[in-house]
Amino acid sequence: MKLATTQQMRELDRRTIEELQVPGMVLMEIAGRGTVEYLEKAVEKVTGKHVVIFVGPGNNGGDGLVIARTVFNRGAVPHIFFLVAPDELTGDAGHNFSIIKHWGIHYTVVDTADTVHAAQKTILALHNEKPIHSIVDAVFGTGLCRDVRGHFFDALTLINTLRQNYQFFVVSADIPSGMHSDTGQILGGAVRADLTVTYGLPKPGHVHHGGEGIGQLKTVDIGIPPFLLDPVGVTGFALDETTLPQIREKSTTGHKGSNGHLLVLAGSTGKTGAAILSARGSLHSGCGLVTLCVPQDLNQVFETSLIEAMTVPLPGSNTAISIKDYQQITELCQGKNALVIGPGMGMEPETVELVLRLYKECSLPQVLDADAITILADHPECLAHPAGPRIFTPHPGEMARLINTTIPAIQLDRLHAAQWAETMEDMEHDFPIITVLKGAGTVIASNQGQWCINTSGNPGMGTGGMGDVLSGIIGSLLAQGYNPWEAACIAVYIHGVSGDLLAKKQPYGFSASQVALALPKAIGHILHLPKKSSVH
């Protein structure tokens, strides 16, 4: 599914209303009615029950008023709690309030801490009369950009209390109030919804950080025509089974030589496991041949752990890969299709020199992970001079080093951080530079304007070695002939699906090695999905 930023959604609304002459009241009406449709599917019919609606300022409050009218028409008893003076509502929201007054629907103004506290007693008294079907959160929409304070904060807290202590079902109109729609950040406090019904297109905040607090996510088509998406620049999407680039089935005449050959430069004393996991990720994701360049003193570790891979002990590298073996490494690059550099590689000066030189001189598509990212972060003057396509796979700490900021700053706006390469100056060549910012809701962004947020994966994958496996999968797909964008997207998604398959049996406690072993099953699951066109 496509994702629209707040600014893009605002522009889509404006063009639909002003240029295409669709009244804003029509869009609001469709949004409110669509919310009730999804609400009844998620719970049950509203007939004969109370529906409590918290209404804030602006159009999100207007959506709540349409919801109130809709459930009223379906036999429910709506109770509206206005967090602002309703007579001060303007535009479409103000017009909907006029309708509410003429219909005689009950409402109460709660604009202080005391009145919010009293609202809880009122709601519980209503519940004693007849069941409360649901709580509707229509306080703040996608335009919120500052912390929630005062009685608004109290109201959001009350909604969460009613949900947690009394198990009332909560539906949020467009986005849970208090959540930033572009970053997914909580602005002081936010509603935790059981169901979020968004309008037009989902927003990045719905899937950032794994979509925590969203509940079920449903989208109402409010009538914005698809031909507006390209002019407005809607290029982002949620990476799921409907948007995943097509995984190609293997040819019946294929063989190891036609399924790609990946070269991996990884491992050092104490960090051989990272290199082994990367190789396992590549081997279990369909790569025909995998060769590891390894420090000669550690070769036995790799040969006994990776019987399907080939190893090349480097004579000039004792315990860490060194620039002394540059000539042999460049010769080994001949006939290879892609290169993974970094897992467990270490930061020895001779290793640093090797990474920088390969970045600038080796034309193979490269996956840069772990120590390789840190090395390049320490030498930013090299970043604009790649000799071929590059895929960076940082975790938030490595991302912070790469763009010279802090981890909290990265987590505050993950999409913006992942798009760092778009603003890189003095790029020597027009090669794709793709960033895979790992975490809950992994962000993938290209310097060519593409971006997406992954929807697969689970908290059980928060253990050591998962990123090493991912680097191997990306390298494997590059070696098999996928373009860099396809390789990054497919790898991230199947990596998450592999973890999801394991989590069905055990929610956590599985290892990165198990995720690598489950990759064939994950790929098989995706190959059996209905065919579709690729997203580029």
Side-chain angles (χ1 to χ4, degrees), residues 166-199:
Y166 301 97
Q167 289 73 55
F168 294 153
F169 189 91
V170 173
V171 56
S172 288
D174 213 1
I175 196 163
S177 293
M179 179 179 288
H180 194 290
S181 63
D182 283 348
T183 69
Q185 287 297 313
I186 304 305
L187 300 173
V191 168
R192 293 188 68 88
D194 297 294
L195 169 68
T196 298
V197 182
T198 194
Y199 309 137

Side-chain angles (χ1 to χ4, degrees), residues 31 34-36 38-39 171-175 195-199 206 214 216-220:
T35 301
V36 176
Y38 281 121
L39 177 59
V171 56
S172 288
D174 213 1
I175 196 163
L195 169 68
T196 298
V197 182
T198 194
Y199 309 137
H206 289 124
I214 298 292
Q216 300 177 59
L217 178 63
K218 300 295 182 181
T219 305
V220 175

Side-chain angles (χ1 to χ4, degrees), residues 301-320:
V301 175
F302 293 102
E303 286 200 346
T304 55
S305 300
L306 293 166
I307 58 175
E308 297 94 346
M310 296 172 282
T311 64
V312 178
L314 299 170
S317 305
N318 295 324
T319 59

